[in-house]
Amino acid sequence: MKGRLMTEIYIYEGEFEHGEKGYDMIKRGLYNYMLSKGNELTELPEIKKEEGGKPYFVDSCAEFSLSHSGQMWMCAYSDMPCGLDVQIMKENTKWEKISERHYGENEKAYVNLWGIDGFFTVWAAKEAFGKMTGRGFFDDMPEMIDNHHELIKKIVYNDKIFYMTEIEIAHDVKCFLCTTDESHSIKLLA
């Protein structure tokens, strides 16, 4: 569809480098993303970090958001700002204590209702929102769950609108993408 915003999410399972050592993998994903849009890059852009730590491409129209959990690495590339988070659910996580300390009242009720699944749903949604806005997880952040125990898919925050999309990966993986446009399409690539 011409004119419709596209977000491509590249998924890789295996060994990968963290921090600046992993920038080559991010740049390779950008190359493939731009190629899929009919734009072959002759030079890959530099990656820098904003004051809050959010990475970005210098002199590129593409946006990206990186997430990893365990051996899973994911990177979203888009024409618009985006935030991506993936969480592999781990039984040994002290999820009850963490949610009691860091979640809002509706989020705590959701965790009480859905257990570890609810905990990781909220966690991944909060992380995606934080990556989208550049705010830290523990900064002032809106709740991701409404008073009817439903995920909020349209979040109004600081006079801006953000859209949450849950991405189905596997039964033990929670993944969310936060964007500023609800009508974009998402393409998963391995």
Side-chain angles (χ1 to χ4, degrees):
M1 271 182 218
K2 196 168 179 105
R4 188 167 187 199
L5 294 173
M6 167 66 79
T7 300
E8 289 187 358
I9 300 174
Y10 292 83
I11 303 171
Y12 171 79
E13 288 192 68
E15 295 293 320
F16 55 88
E17 297 286 339
H18 295 274
E20 290 183 19
K21 292 180 181 178
Y23 283 2
D24 285 343
M25 198 164 170
I26 296 168
K27 290 177 183 181
R28 278 195 310 267
L30 174 67
Y31 180 83
N32 291 332
Y33 170 69
M34 296 304 285
L35 201 58
S36 76
K37 295 171 59 77
N39 303 318
E40 187 169 356
L41 294 175
T42 56
E43 189 176 320
L44 294 173
E46 182 181 0
I47 298 174
K48 289 195 174 183
K49 290 186 178 182
E50 293 176 356
E51 188 177 310
K54 182 178 179 176
Y56 67 94
F57 292 122
V58 177
D59 298 326
S60 174
C61 60
E63 302 273 347
F64 79 98
S65 183
L66 176 68
S67 186
H68 50 79
S69 183
Q71 296 281 308
M72 185 176 288
W73 178 97
M74 295 177 72
C75 194
Y77 299 89
S78 187
D79 299 324
M80 66 184 150
C82 59
L84 176 74
D85 191 63
V86 62
Q87 296 290 323
I88 297 174
M89 297 191 313
K90 302 173 200 137
E91 287 294 331
N92 63 349
T93 304
K94 294 180 172 50
W95 56 273
E96 291 163 313
K97 287 183 180 181
I98 294 170
S99 64
E100 204 46 52
R101 186 171 180 197
H102 297 291
Y103 287 6
E105 293 307 313
N106 290 336
E107 294 166 340
K108 289 177 196 175
Y110 188 79
V111 171
N112 287 336
L113 185 64
W114 296 106
I116 192 169
D117 190 84
F119 169 80
F120 278 103
T121 295
V122 173
W123 187 273
K126 281 181 158 314
E127 285 279 358
F129 179 84
K131 289 177 181 182
M132 169 67 207
T133 61
R135 302 189 62 80
F137 186 92
F138 301 111
D139 283 352
D140 176 38
M141 184 180 285
E143 287 204 44
M144 301 290 121
I145 304 296
D146 67 19
N147 58 359
H148 300 291
H149 307 296
E150 297 288 332
L151 179 73
I152 300 171
K153 295 183 179 176
K154 179 180 176 182
I155 298 170
V156 179
Y157 181 74
N158 289 340
D159 298 323
K160 294 180 184 171
I161 298 174
F162 301 94
Y163 298 94
M164 300 298 298
T165 303
E166 185 169 9
I167 300 167
E168 299 289 330
I169 305 289
H171 74 281
D172 64 339
V173 176
K174 294 294 178 184
C175 183
F176 282 89
L177 180 69
C178 182
T179 61
T180 56
D181 188 297
E182 70 177 328
S183 65
H184 71 286
S185 59
I186 297 172
K187 184 176 180 182
L188 294 176
L189 302 164

